[in-house]
Structure formats: structure tokens, C-alpha cells
């Protein structure tokens, strides 16, 4: 009987820890995870089209329990998905991130080729169909870089877009 009680105590502690983690997840992280999935795909879990990306982003920015890096991440993802944002929207987004140093973080992405303020119309890259792959509810989006890396490994990069990488020998 004492051995059984000791096992039960360990299981109760484990259950309580798991419950605390799940409560933290539900309060803070779940909306952020959904936002990070909804924005790049433009659809929700059920496959319904997201009509306004800003409505998906605002609950994350207005939630004060997220740290600034998560907010910056969500803002940059939003800007990247819509291929730049208007100056007045950028000001509002930076205001919601809340510090001046963080606004520099967002604006400096322009130096990495991410259009912060929209350029003239740019063509979006063609994506592979990942609908047949097994996914989880909060991680069904496959980043475009994964497609590029697979093509690089298989030596299938377009020589017009990837001048230097397409000449590499097969791996």
C-alpha cells in the first residue's frame, strides 16, 4: 500500500504540472499559435478563408501577456504575408509593439529584402501542394523555405531565380 500511495502522489504531481502548463497555453500561447498559422496560409483550421489578416493579428497585439518578441514576430509575419503595409498601418503596428527599439527591429527587415512598405506589384512565389501531408491542428503551415531547401538538396532550383545555387553539384 505505501508503494501505491507513492506512485499516486507522483501521478498527481505530474497531472497538476500538465494542467498548469495547459492553462498557461490556453491563456497566452494558443491565440499566438493560431495567428502564426492563419496568416501565412490565409485559412483557418477548417479551411475557411481569412478575410482580413488584421483581424487575426489584433487579438495577439492587444493581449498584454505576450512578450514583445512574440508581438514583433506576429507583426513581421503579417507584413510579410500582405507584402508590405501602408505607412499609417505601420505606425499603428509599431505603436502596439510598444518600444522604440522594437520599431527599429521591424523597420530594419527592409534591409533583408522584406518589403515593409509595399513596392510596386511583385509576383508571389509558387508554392508546392502540402495538403496531402499529415499535420497537427496548430502546425499545418509549411514554410516556403522548406520547399526551397528540398529543391536545393534535389538540385531542382530554377537557374533564373537561383543563379549561383543552381550550378551546385548534386548532393
Amino acid at each position: 500500500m505505501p508503494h501505491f500511495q507513492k506512485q499516486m502522489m507522483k501521478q498527481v504531481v505530474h497531472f497538476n504540472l500538465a494542467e498548469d502548463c495547459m492553462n498557461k497555453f490556453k491563456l497566452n500561447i494558443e491565440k499566438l499559435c493560431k495567428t502564426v498559422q492563419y496568416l501565412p496560409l490565409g485559412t483557418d483550421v477548417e479551411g475557411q478563408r481569412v478575410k482580413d489578416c488584421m483581424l487575426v493579428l489584433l487579438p495577439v497585439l492587444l493581449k498584454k501577456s505576450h512578450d514583445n518578441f512574440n508581438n514583433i514576430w506576429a507583426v513581421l509575419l503579417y507584413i510579410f504575408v500582405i507584402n508590405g503595409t501602408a505607412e499609417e498601418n505601420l505606425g499603428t503596428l509599431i505603436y502596439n509593439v510598444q518600444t522604440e527599439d522594437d520599431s527599429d527591429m521591424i523597420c530594419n527587415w527592409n534591409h533583408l529584402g522584406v518589403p515593409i512598405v509595399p513596392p510596386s506589384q511583385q509576383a508571389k512565389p509558387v508554392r508546392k501542394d502540402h495538403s496531402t501531408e499529415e499535420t497537427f491542428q496548430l502546425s499545418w503551415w509549411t514554410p516556403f523555405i522548406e520547399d526551397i531547401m528540398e529543391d536545393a538538396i534535389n538540385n531542382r532550383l530554377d537557374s533564373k531565380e537561383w543563379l549561383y545555387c543552381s550550378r551546385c553539384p548534386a548532393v
Side-chain angles (χ1 to χ4, degrees):
M1 197 66 157
H3 177 68
F4 179 71
Q5 284 178 333
K6 196 184 260 186
Q7 266 187 318
M8 282 298 292
M9 285 302 292
K10 286 181 182 179
Q11 288 178 349
V12 166
V13 168
H14 177 73
F15 180 75
N16 288 338
L17 287 173
E19 188 176 37
D20 289 345
C21 289
M22 197 61 182
N23 288 338
K24 266 256 202 249
F25 174 78
K26 290 276 186 200
L27 287 174
N28 298 327
I29 302 169
E30 187 174 29
K31 272 192 191 317
L32 180 66
C33 290
K34 285 181 180 178
T35 300
V36 170
Q37 294 295 309
Y38 291 178
L39 286 176
L41 281 179
T43 61
D44 61 9
V45 176
E46 291 84 28
Q48 298 296 319
R49 184 160 163 55
V50 173
K51 291 176 178 54
D52 188 6
C53 292
M54 184 61 85
L55 293 177
V56 173
L57 179 65
L58 280 178
V60 171
L61 294 180
L62 296 176
K63 186 120 177 141
K64 300 302 179 197
S65 60
H66 295 302
D67 63 2
N68 276 351
F69 289 112
N70 286 335
N71 288 343
I72 291 169
W73 179 34
V75 166
L76 286 171
L77 185 60
Y78 167 78
I79 290 170
F80 186 74
V81 165
I82 64 168
N83 205 15
T85 186
E87 288 281 344
E88 56 272 3
N89 285 349
L90 181 62
T92 304
L93 292 171
I94 288 173
Y95 174 77
N96 283 314
V97 171
Q98 296 186 355
T99 64
E100 283 184 33
D101 297 334
D102 297 337
S103 68
D104 289 341
M105 257 190 238
I106 293 171
C107 293
N108 285 341
W109 273 72
N110 199 23
H111 300 297
L112 296 174
V114 176
I116 302 299
V117 177
S120 60
Q121 293 297 332
Q122 279 184 326
K124 282 203 166 200
V126 178
R127 296 292 315 258
K128 291 181 181 176
D129 182 25
H130 293 279
S131 62
T132 58
E133 297 175 7
E134 185 177 332
T135 60
F136 297 100
Q137 188 174 6
L138 289 178
S139 64
W140 69 93
W141 172 58
T142 305
F144 187 57
I145 189 72
E146 186 175 318
D147 296 341
I148 294 171
M149 295 304 293
E150 285 176 2
D151 287 346
I153 290 169
N154 296 325
N155 209 15
R156 292 183 303 203
L157 288 176
D158 182 18
S159 60
K160 292 176 186 167
E161 284 187 52
W162 306 93
L163 297 174
Y164 299 103
C165 296
S166 61
R167 296 183 197 143
C168 296
V171 178

